[in-house]
Amino acid sequence: MKADSKGGGVQSVERAFDLIARIAGGHDAVGLSQLATDTGLPLPTIHRLLQTLVKLGYIRQDAARRYALGPRFIPLGEAAMRSLGEWSLRHLRELANLAGESANLAVLEGTEVLYVAQVPGRHAMRMFTEPGRRVLPHCTAVGKAMLSRLPEQRVRTILERGGMPKFTPATITDPDEILAQLATIREQGFAVDEGEQEVGVRCVAVPIPEAPTLSAVSVSGPLARLTDEVVMRIAPLIARAALAIACDVGQETRP
């Protein structure tokens, strides 16, 4: 294997992970020519690396000779989610204590929001945000916070493929209205779910900056307690927790 003269890394490993990241970032299987365009690597190099990954089960090749993630990544992804949840817990505990309500961590997986960690607040109540629960992004503050980090076309693709069912009278089902909200979210720095997933429950979320996967931190509780005044008070606390989690994850992943 060839060492990279700039960083001392192994060039073939760096190239393989670049290919994996680009394949994972698409919504469909990807062909060799597209990967060559995206990476600038020669076709023979891409083909050689992919064939090794296919044999190992990390990449699968379909009948049209396009490539997608393979089944070997499933347990790795589950382990990574558990680790992310564990890294975040101390920050979620502090946030729940300061906010007085439940603090949550979620990631975007394809077209769904996956909750990976939660710390109940002082007024514990059962809500849809328990770890392992999957919901759609259009009706949750964490979902909208994460969508706000994506380009418009990708947001439209996610909304189209996942669907925008109406769960409560407040659920937004128009993609253009969601996109307008995302502009506001980017400007103010946080997203709010006004009972759009569950009647009577309000949620405030902030995306985690520079995270390796799209993720967000939120505080959720009854609408009667999460008033506009409370939202403005806790939004900076959520942003601080999101930044702290980003710093922890960065330290764990930094060589």
Side-chain angles (χ1 to χ4, degrees):
M1 290 182 289
K2 183 179 178 181
D4 184 350
S5 59
K6 293 182 179 179
V10 179
Q11 189 180 67
S12 59
V13 174
E14 293 176 354
R15 288 175 168 179
F17 275 99
D18 187 18
L19 290 171
I20 290 167
R22 291 175 188 275
I23 291 170
H27 298 289
D28 300 303
V30 186
L32 283 174
S33 59
Q34 184 61 54
L35 288 170
T37 300
D38 291 345
T39 64
L41 294 174
L43 281 172
T45 300
I46 295 174
H47 185 265
R48 184 178 70 253
L49 292 170
L50 288 178
Q51 287 308 302
T52 299
L53 292 168
V54 168
K55 288 178 183 178
L56 293 172
Y58 290 106
I59 297 293
R60 60 181 176 84
Q61 182 182 14
D62 64 19
R65 299 182 65 82
R66 295 176 303 178
Y67 298 88
L69 295 186
R72 289 287 295 275
F73 274 114
I74 295 174
L76 297 181
E78 292 171 348
M81 291 303 175
R82 287 195 299 272
S83 295
L84 179 59
E86 290 167 4
W87 292 335
S88 71
L89 280 176
R90 68 187 181 95
H91 301 298
L92 294 181
R93 289 192 190 101
E94 181 181 3
L95 178 59
N97 181 58
L98 292 172
E101 303 290 350
S102 296
N104 318 284
L105 175 69
V107 299
L108 188 65
E109 274 201 341
T111 61
E112 295 180 317
V113 169
L114 171 64
Y115 288 94
V116 296
Q118 182 189 70
V119 173
R122 292 191 293 271
H123 313 284
M125 60 179 289
R126 183 172 177 81
M127 288 182 290
F128 64 89
T129 53
E130 64 265 18
R133 181 76 182 272
R134 292 177 181 271
V135 296
L136 293 171
H138 73 290
C139 56
T140 59
V142 284
K144 290 188 284 186
M146 291 185 282
L147 291 180
S148 72
R149 304 296 297 271
L150 297 175
E152 178 179 329
Q153 189 51 54
R154 187 169 176 199
V155 172
R156 288 189 182 276
T157 300
I158 290 171
L159 296 177
E160 180 182 348
R161 295 190 176 187
M164 300 179 69
K166 196 171 188 65
F167 294 103
T168 75
T171 305
I172 300 170
T173 58
D174 180 354
D176 291 328
E177 189 173 347
I178 289 289
L179 287 165
Q181 269 203 11
L182 298 185
T184 301
I185 291 166
R186 284 188 287 269
E187 182 178 342
Q188 67 186 13
F190 63 90
V192 181
D193 155 20
E194 304 282 6
E196 297 157 45
Q197 167 69 33
E198 188 171 351
V199 174
V201 175
R202 200 177 202 187
C203 189
V204 187
V206 173
I208 295 179
E210 305 301 327
T213 186
L214 281 174
S215 46
V217 178
S218 72
V219 166
S220 51
L223 182 59
R225 288 201 300 264
L226 283 185
T227 61
D228 291 346
E229 181 181 355
V230 171
V231 168
M232 297 308 296
R233 178 180 66 82
I234 66 174
L237 302 177
I238 302 170
R240 188 174 71 186
L243 181 58
I245 292 171
C247 291
D248 275 6
V249 172
Q251 289 172 357
E252 292 289 341
T253 57
R254 192 175 297 122

